[in-house]
Each structure stands twice: as C-alpha cells, then as structure tokens.
Amino acid sequence: MREKIVVFGGNGFFGQRFVRLASEQGFQVISVSRRGAPQPTEAWHRAVEWVKGDVFSPEDWRLLFENATAVVDCIGIIHQNPQPIKHINDSMSK
C-alpha cells in the first residue's frame, strides 16, 4: 500500500510542483482546493486525486485524512495568513 499525502492548495504555483513531485515519488496524492482539478490538465494530473473543497468546511475533506501519512498546506503564504493551517489543525484535533 502506498503512503498517502493530503495536500491543501495543490493546484497553485508551489502546490502543483509539490503534488507532481510527490506523485512521481510514488505517493498516493490527494489535492484539496476550491477549484478541484487544475485546467488545462497535463498527463501527470491523472496520478493525483483532485478534490473540490473549502479548507474552512471540514465536511469537504476530513474523511480524506484516514490513513494519511502527511497533510501538507500549500495555500498561499502562511506567514501572511495563518488561518487556513490553524483551521486544519483545530479540525484534526476534534
């Protein structure tokens, strides 16, 4: 069984690079973002599970954490707006 990584913001500038590298390294990658799958699609996108969801709506993504090895935040610049990662952390502890 492959190790699973859940990535928030996987279709942004940094997020797509992270998701691509993780999937190429053999991880099962699930990307959660407001838009779902990026457009236009590239061949490597088929190796990623793209989930449309809002970081502030745990019902969109909480079940994805089951058996996850890691959760990665690639949403914007954290030091400018720490709210998304704080919300994820708070939701995981419930």
Side-chain angles (χ1 to χ4, degrees):
M1 185 198 281
R2 297 184 302 162
E3 292 187 62
K4 178 168 84 171
I5 299 175
V6 178
V7 180
F8 287 89
N11 62 4
F13 179 78
F14 176 73
Q16 279 200 47
R17 282 144 186 84
F18 180 87
V19 165
R20 181 178 186 170
L21 289 172
S23 65
E24 288 173 351
Q25 294 296 316
F27 289 95
Q28 175 190 356
V29 180
I30 301 173
S31 174
V32 182
S33 65
R34 288 179 293 181
R35 296 179 300 226
Q39 297 295 325
T41 60
E42 296 181 30
W44 66 268
H45 289 157
R46 288 189 292 277
V48 177
E49 180 180 343
W50 302 95
V51 175
K52 187 173 183 176
D54 186 335
V55 70
F56 294 107
S57 298
E59 62 276 5
D60 290 350
W61 47 262
R62 187 180 312 218
L63 294 177
L64 300 174
F65 289 171
E66 186 175 325
N67 300 317
T69 301
V71 177
V72 178
D73 178 11
C74 294
I75 300 173
I77 302 171
I78 294 173
H79 74 273
Q80 288 182 344
N81 183 5
Q83 290 305 311
I85 194 66
K86 181 180 181 329
H87 186 72
I88 294 167
N89 288 338
D90 290 348
S91 294
M92 288 176 66
S93 63
K94 292 180 183 177

